[in-house]
Amino acid sequence: GAQVVASPARRCRQTAAALGLTPDRFEPALWEQDLGAWEGLPPEALPDLGPLPPDALARHRPEGGESFDDMAGRVIPVLQALERDTVLIAHAGTVRAALSMVVGPAALSFAVAPLSLTVLRRAGDAWAVDCVNLRAGD
């Protein structure tokens, strides 16, 4: 009985199909964080920001891109507007944005595995994390 909402990215469409799910809608706000000038760079070419506390890292915006806070600012309203159980098929950054509703910028410390399941529950306006990174065979 859950609705299915997915990022419009090809990899999310492919994941939905592989799971045998047909999204009820594609939600552009669930797209991964726009890394601007960093987009597509190999990991070794990314700048070293040095040690940053989570709140400073969440505010950091790559040139021409968006910060984690920017991304969370477009993801969280979509999640808050959900009125029933929903399966989201989205990106690791989107999962972290959802987790930030519970743990704030510390959500950036979560490693989100590909094809993993994260479960959040809501009671009124309060959100809780049931599990993160659940994978088949776990």
Side-chain angles (χ1 to χ4, degrees), residues 8-53:
R10 181 181 344 172
R11 63 185 175 257
C12 294
R13 292 172 185 266
Q14 291 169 333
T15 299
L19 292 170
L21 298 173
T22 302
D24 296 295
R25 77 176 199 265
F26 293 98
E27 178 56 60
L30 298 180
W31 203 276
E32 183 62 277
Q33 182 178 351
D34 179 356
L35 297 176
W38 297 357
E39 203 71 48
L41 291 177
E44 62 275 6
L46 293 172
D48 182 354
L49 299 178
L52 291 176

Side-chain angles (χ1 to χ4, degrees), residues 17-131:
L19 292 170
L21 298 173
T22 302
D24 296 295
R25 77 176 199 265
F26 293 98
E27 178 56 60
L30 298 180
W31 203 276
E32 183 62 277
Q33 182 178 351
D34 179 356
L35 297 176
W38 297 357
E39 203 71 48
L41 291 177
E44 62 275 6
L46 293 172
D48 182 354
L49 299 178
L52 291 176
D55 58 331
L57 182 58
R59 287 190 309 268
H60 180 75
R61 184 179 295 114
E63 181 181 337
E66 64 183 340
S67 69
F68 175 78
D69 282 349
D70 294 336
M71 182 191 62
R74 67 175 155 78
V75 169
I76 290 172
V78 172
L79 302 179
Q80 291 173 331
L82 296 173
E83 296 181 354
R84 62 185 178 127
D85 288 349
T86 304
V87 174
L88 295 177
I89 301 171
H91 312 273
T94 309
V95 172
R96 287 185 198 95
L99 291 168
S100 77
M101 294 188 302
V102 179
V103 300
L108 286 167
S109 67
F110 282 88
V112 178
L115 301 175
S116 66
L117 176 68
T118 295
V119 178
L120 280 80
R121 297 208 185 272
R122 176 171 59 183
D125 291 335
W127 290 81
V129 178
D130 276 1
C131 69

